Amino acid sequence: MQEGLRFLAMGLAIGLGTIGPGVGIGILASKAMEAVGRNPETSGKIQALMILAIVFAEALAIYALVVAFIISGS
Amino acid sequence: MNISLKPDVIFNIAGLGITNTLFTSFFVVLIIIILMFFFRTKLSYKKPTKMQIVLEMVVLSLYGLTKDTLNEKYARRLFGFLFTFFIFILISNWFGLTPIVQSTIINTEASSSATETDATKETTTNISPAKCFNDKECTYTLDGPKKFEKEAHLFRPPTSDLSMTVSLAAISVIVTNIMGFGVLKFQYLKKYINFSSPINFVVGILESVSELGKIISFSFRLFGNVFAGEVLLSVITALTFGVATLPFFLLEIFVGALQAFVFFILTSVFIGLAINKHE
């Protein structure tokens, strides 16, 4: 029973933990595309800022993954 | 399949255990020094080689980014420090993709907590009775005392070790604060302790908590990406073989370079925020 609950906890941790960052990255990327569409000359700057912001959002998904590994390890 | 968050200790020098990630980081630094000397002798102004053009592109674009986020004078001073982060993390991430990493195996002492997962491959060697201090390290058999051993990888990418990434993150955040103090002198404390209004006081306290949050987020971002990539690669090579593992290696190359770039640019952005005067 304990092993089964552990696997369930791992799955839930990584599964639910990726919903938020997924939606967040989608919103970020769509706004960035819109901004580039309006103003194609600053596309270099917008791309750099978009990557920076996506990495922040991605870090939260990585936290969830690390928690899943910790649950599996101990 | 041997996935462990904790790196294995491969040998001891003067009582300190050298883990396989630390051992790999020696090799990474050695590679960087060799590349540095090699390219230094081949620099030429009139007829640049292709490698020189590529390296100049990389270095100049990164320098342009630091000039955007920091002032000109500080960009020139700090670019060496920031580029060191970039190249160390880049080479150590990419080192984890070479075939040498998963292949070389060495027999090391098993740690005292011999759990079920560790005890899968245990061999024993003879040791003299005087060296056997407690029952967890050695077992008494009819042939004499024998030590527990297990197989461990000799190389492991250094950034997949949480100790290494926490150290890099701590260096980055501490240097940010030192630069803030150095440029703004005591006005830098106004960022954290601000008595002008009650809300600003609470904001100051939250700022100091978020500095700790920065260390955690830097370290876990880098650790999570590299460790998860390592696990992914070992799972994929266990399931499929040959050409089917190629997309995952390409993903890992991209993720490794991107994480190095992100560490670089986040550090430079935070230093830029710290040395700007508050209005």
Side-chain angles (χ1 to χ4, degrees), chain A residues 40-51:
Chain A
E41 342 181 289
T42 58
S43 88
K45 279 195 176 195
I46 292 179
Q47 179 183 344
L49 288 171
M50 176 186 88
I51 289 196

Side-chain angles (χ1 to χ4, degrees), chain B residues 236-253:
Chain B
I236 291 295
T237 51
L239 291 178
T240 62
F241 56 90
V243 158
T245 61
L246 186 64
F248 296 100
F249 274 95
L250 289 176
L251 175 74
E252 272 309 299
I253 292 176

Side-chain angles (χ1 to χ4, degrees), chain B residues 2 4 6-9 105-111 117-123 147-152:
Chain B
N2 190 10
S4 63
K6 215 172 149 185
D8 305 310
V9 175
I105 295 183
I106 189 175
N107 280 331
T108 71
E109 295 170 15
S111 53
T117 53
D118 280 353
T120 49
K121 289 196 185 262
E122 261 180 14
T123 58
K147 219 192 267 198
F148 285 119
E149 278 188 343
K150 72 171 189 220
E151 291 184 348

